[in-house]
């Protein structure tokens, strides 16, 4: 009870075209902490206020996009309990031994109906947030919070077909809530589905796309709207390509900016949004209010926001 | 899985000495929404962004303090499941029929080892947050967010003996995490225990006091530190007695103000704090850092903060 | 010495196509305080933290745009001293008697080289900011700060030819500083000139336009970037047409939003910007950095921003 | 006209007991930029967004306190014009040649009726704010804004006798406005006088003290209340002694924190406050509202705030 099962998005693995440019972006610009270079030249990052070893893995490749995303679960017994349920749902589960992924316990891996590779794991080495656990204080040393002042990895939005099946998996097997959805005003078909396993408005979301396994964005949490403005100033300073400047989402009510890494992968930094609980009513947006659903401060739907994925 | 069992502090019932003054305070000053006057002259309030009918109940009485606090649980089956476990823990459970508490389903009631009366319920009528659930938008009409701009009831801090037993109940039976604790630096005895069933740093907390069933404060969530400053300005304008002005807690890292209602009950409004998960290490503060644990912007322990309860 | 001569932009008179819609916009949406309806159906507004009777005059007409703008000067002797200097500069000065403009002392009126009608006055009845002058406190009663939470009229940007001559008048006769300028990178011709008579980065600005007497925008001061975000939320809620959503100017460094009143007149609300002094170096932007000069959080020049005027 | 005569507080020279501790405080903690070590071991600082070479001079000495404060004036002719006026007021003016103070033009020096040594100068070498003056952008490189994120030196508050004579000098000779005053409610004697030569609520202030030439505090400007909270967090982290934690002044309406340097000199960082103009009515506070005048978020007068000076 309390918070159990899938806890949070714990790891996103992204393909980049040029690792040097990617490190400049994620390390020096965003200010994520590089914790390791690993096999195949992969580079691992954590956000300052996370305790686990890393949350972001970059791999140099010929195409941008996402290799996999992984949720941390409550404990190893949760993995044992979930594996047959996922199989029963109809997905083949691959069992990956502890240590195959660095600093990580064993993992379950399966491909979602949308084509995305998803993993679950219960253990990752904790290296802390630099404050310690005895009389920790509230402020890390200067330089620990840097760049965009990112606190945590928060969620990702993924594009593909069969998003209703994805949502059914998350709701029935993983017991997520459908916090919000965007539907076609005429057909009522699902266009985007937002799923929460916590008090956040979403922990993962899916947007309907014809192609499988598309990556819309990975999102990082900032502490305040003031930090969103600060990040926007840095985005401007470093001429980082902006998709949508400071605005507020209708969905989730978060204050947001979208921009691209040098490989064209979309990133988001955001702050705020309402507090979600399992008994919060599902919010439904339809395409008659597509602008308000996406960008509530001007109600303008952005073509690029809906069609550019990696 | 996901968020199950006890969801959140859903209701606090407070005794006030003068209902007119209390309504001035909670309604006109804090800006909570009065939704009903009920039996025995009780007055019921909700915060704007909550969906349930009410979160705060005031009752006029000869002494200030708290009558009971109540957590909402995931569903009725959770009540059925919990009742024998609470009994097995050693507490007598009273079953209260649906409707005895207005707009509420059945409740379990029991007295904690600290002397506090606690309730659990699975259902309360939802009246929404005024935005609706179809293309809701993000901003309620002007006047809905008012006064201190309170979003939600958040947590309460309660004083009494046997707080380790309280914590054992919450951890073993309710499966809360011990997010933080304050201990005596010499004896290592627990002085204050902070317990979370969500991603909040605490959902309830207990502070050691010799007398049973004491009320330290009820806390309401604001959206930003800017709103904390705004609330402080209103507190000053209306000459509301301040306990501790704008500061940041060491415990939870929240930006906070403490003040008193006209009956002497302590209130808090706060914003921020870190994101907690079940795998977040428990943070331990000891009395050698009592100032930093309580008020991290000046490290000064406040006598009144530790000793004035209702 | 100290602050003398022209003090500030004290009054802007705007033409609107539909007074009812304009009152909805400036009064109910922006939250300016309507203080009077006057001759010819004119409606007068003040911002809450101004002391003078009004700062904005609306007049219903067949075309949108600005009738005149007026600076308040230090005292009546300043008017006496300036009149011959303005004439010597080559502009015909019209003397308007006290009382012709309501609650106002005598005015000087003249047409700028850009075609705009400008006025100077030394006296306007003061009605205060509701706080009083004896132990005033810091917070007006609730409802006084409302809508977009506008503190003050701040500046206006006007379009027309001959802006270098305008600037020469303001610098040589009115002793303003040229705080910033935007020039063509090739010809070095002035495209926009920003002029300050205070510690603000600009008190008035001119943008080169082929047509005379064009109105680009009137700007109102907010207290914080948090209020800019709040205004953006209201703009979205009320579907007010947005020109440019939350962003930061390169010029002045202010955090800004541009939007339109129902007649198509552009409004700005903003917060922040650097502190200017007469010894602050003039900043020069050229058209190779037109995006950064205008909107520094994405470096994108907006066609509409440069070409849509009333 | 416009902004002329005395422009701003441009330099404060402070005595410290231990230069190493002082450099740790002003340089590493507050994040001011050390620009030079000079004669007699003096250390010079500037705030990042100032253009002049330095604004703060530290000198190691046996007692804490202020050596002198200096206003920058519009031009050299202003010095020539002011010297005889200051003499006519009754103060002996010492003429200090250019170059005696490093990077500085000639200075006038005189002792105020309150015993404080005041200087005026028209020239100081400008080294800029790192952004340059051609297409400067809005964000300096990371590391330029650091520590408490101080933008500028703002004002100082000085204690001594004869503050009404001080104010008469500033009003009659320097043409400052009396923006606010604190008086004894019975005798109406002046207890504190706040004087402005700009749109700031005060550029200098004097508080009645029996001893001459006492130093109450030097104040630095932050960009936002969010930065005030950030500074408070750092003050807590580094255990900097706090005089008064985050609060809002009644006088000026600024959001403020007071703390002490290692020598016991009081510092303030603040943000906000109303916009002052010469026609803004003088605000009067009396001792019946001493709490609200000083700290408006709790209306509590602080004994230490009124009596501890260096």
């Amino acid at each position: 009870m309390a918070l159990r099962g899938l806890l949070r998005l714990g790891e996103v693995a992204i393909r980049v075209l040029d690792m040097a440019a990617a490190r400049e972006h994620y390390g020096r610009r965003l200010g994520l902490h590089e914790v390791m270079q690993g096999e195949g030249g992969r580079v691992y990052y954590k956000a300052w206020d996370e305790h686990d070893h890393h949350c972001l893995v970059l791999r140099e490749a010929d195409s941008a996009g996402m290799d996999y995303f992984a949720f941390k679960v409550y404990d190893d017994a949760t993995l044992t309990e979930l594996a047959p349920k996922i199989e029963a749902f109809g997905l083949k589960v691959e069992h990956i031994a502890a240590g195959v992924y660095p600093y990580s316990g064993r993992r379950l891996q399966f491909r979602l109906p949308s084509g995305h590779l998803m993993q679950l794991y219960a253990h990752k080495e904790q290296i802390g947030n630099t404050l310690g656990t005895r009389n920790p204080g509230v402020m890390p040393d200067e330089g620990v919070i840097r760049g965009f002042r990112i606190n945590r990895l928060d969620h990702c939005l993924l594009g593909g077909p069969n998003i209703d099946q994805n949502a059914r998996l998350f709701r029935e097997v993983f017991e997520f809530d459908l916090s919000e959805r965007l539907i076609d005003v005429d057909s009522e078909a699902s266009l985007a589905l937002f799923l929460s396993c916590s008090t956040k408005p979403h922990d993962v979301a899916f947007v309907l796309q014809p192609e499988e396994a598309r990556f819309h964005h990975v999102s990082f949490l900032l502490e305040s709207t003031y930090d969103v403005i600060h990040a926007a100033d840095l985005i401007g300073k470093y001429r980082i390509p902006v998709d949508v400047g400071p605005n507020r989402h209708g969905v989730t009510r978060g204050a947001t900016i979208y921009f691209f890494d040098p490989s064209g992968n979309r990133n988001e930094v955001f702050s705020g949004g309402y507090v979600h609980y399992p008994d919060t009513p599902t919010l439904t947006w339809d395409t008659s209010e597509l602008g308000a659903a996406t960008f509530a401060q001007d109600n303008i739907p952005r073509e690029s926001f809906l069609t550019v994925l990696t």
Side-chain angles (χ1 to χ4, degrees), chain A:
Chain A
M1 293 195 298
L3 205 55
R4 293 295 183 270
L6 275 66
L7 298 181
R8 65 175 174 272
L9 178 66
E11 186 174 317
V12 175
I14 290 176
R15 295 187 303 275
V16 298
L17 305 179
D18 176 332
M19 186 58 80
R23 290 172 74 188
E24 179 81 6
H25 178 79
Y26 289 100
R28 291 179 60 90
R29 297 311 180 218
L30 273 59
L32 295 171
H33 292 248
E34 184 177 317
V35 286
M36 186 174 71
Q37 299 185 41
E39 194 190 357
R42 284 175 180 80
V43 180
Y44 295 75
Y45 291 95
K46 79 183 288 288
W48 87 265
D49 201 18
E50 297 168 330
H51 290 267
D52 285 354
H53 183 271
H54 59 268
C55 67
L56 178 68
V57 184
L58 302 184
R59 178 172 72 86
E60 199 170 81
D62 290 338
S63 65
M66 187 187 75
D67 278 342
Y68 65 86
F69 72 106
F71 267 71
K72 192 173 192 183
V73 305
Y74 179 67
D75 59 7
D76 193 77
T78 306
L79 295 178
T80 303
E81 179 189 357
L82 281 174
K85 292 185 179 175
I86 300 166
E87 296 264 10
F89 184 85
L91 306 183
K92 179 173 164 41
V93 174
E94 180 182 359
H95 292 261
I96 301 171
V100 171
Y101 286 85
Y103 296 99
S104 171
R106 70 176 175 115
R107 296 189 173 196
L108 307 183
Q109 180 171 278
F110 43 94
R111 193 168 295 278
L112 298 181
S114 59
H116 298 91
L117 210 53
M118 178 172 175
Q119 298 180 350
L120 302 177
Y121 64 94
H123 293 294
K124 187 184 285 183
E125 183 166 315
Q126 291 197 321
I127 58 176
N129 65 359
T130 78
L131 291 172
T133 59
R134 180 82 179 216
N135 298 324
V138 299
M139 284 282 280
D141 291 342
E142 288 178 85
V144 172
I145 304 178
R146 63 195 186 199
F148 287 20
R149 303 177 185 161
I150 289 170
N151 278 13
R152 309 183 59 88
L153 171 66
D154 193 83
H155 65 269
C156 58
L157 172 56
L158 307 174
N162 307 316
I163 63 172
D164 284 314
Q165 287 97 304
N166 274 19
R168 192 165 65 82
L169 172 73
F170 276 81
R171 299 178 73 181
E172 296 181 4
V173 178
F174 302 148
E175 298 188 341
F176 279 48
D177 308 312
L178 181 67
S179 57
E180 307 203 32
R181 60 183 183 140
L182 172 68
I183 61 172
D184 184 89
V185 68
D186 299 316
S187 69
E188 304 220 327
S190 299
L191 300 180
L193 299 172
F194 303 84
L195 295 145
S196 172
C197 62
S198 68
T199 59
K200 304 190 310 191
H202 60 347
D203 287 277
V204 68
F206 299 101
V207 58
L208 187 65
Q209 292 285 319
E211 279 183 273
E212 288 204 332
R214 305 291 283 168
F215 177 62
H216 189 278
H217 74 263
V218 59
S219 182
F220 300 97
L221 177 68
L222 305 184
E223 189 181 290
S224 72
T225 52
Y226 188 86
D227 290 313
V228 174
I229 300 296
H230 174 261
D233 287 335
L234 287 177
I235 286 169
K237 175 180 178 67
Y238 294 120
R239 309 288 162 122
I240 295 171
V242 174
D243 187 32
V244 184
N247 214 304
R248 186 181 301 283
H249 286 302
V251 172
T252 77
R253 291 195 223 150
T256 179
I257 320 174
Y258 287 102
F259 52 98
F260 295 103
D261 80 4
S263 306
N265 293 302
R266 190 186 278 99
N267 297 165
E268 180 190 33
V269 287
F270 84 102
S271 175
Y274 61 86
V275 179
H276 170 83
Y277 279 101
D279 62 340
T280 305
T282 296
L283 303 180
T284 300
W285 303 79
D286 64 52
T287 43
S288 73
E289 288 288 346
L290 181 57
T294 48
F295 299 103
Q297 290 182 334
D298 55 19
N299 306 295
I300 300 171
R302 269 74 173 176
E303 179 71 12
S304 69
F305 183 72
L306 300 170
T307 57
V308 177
L309 292 88
T310 52

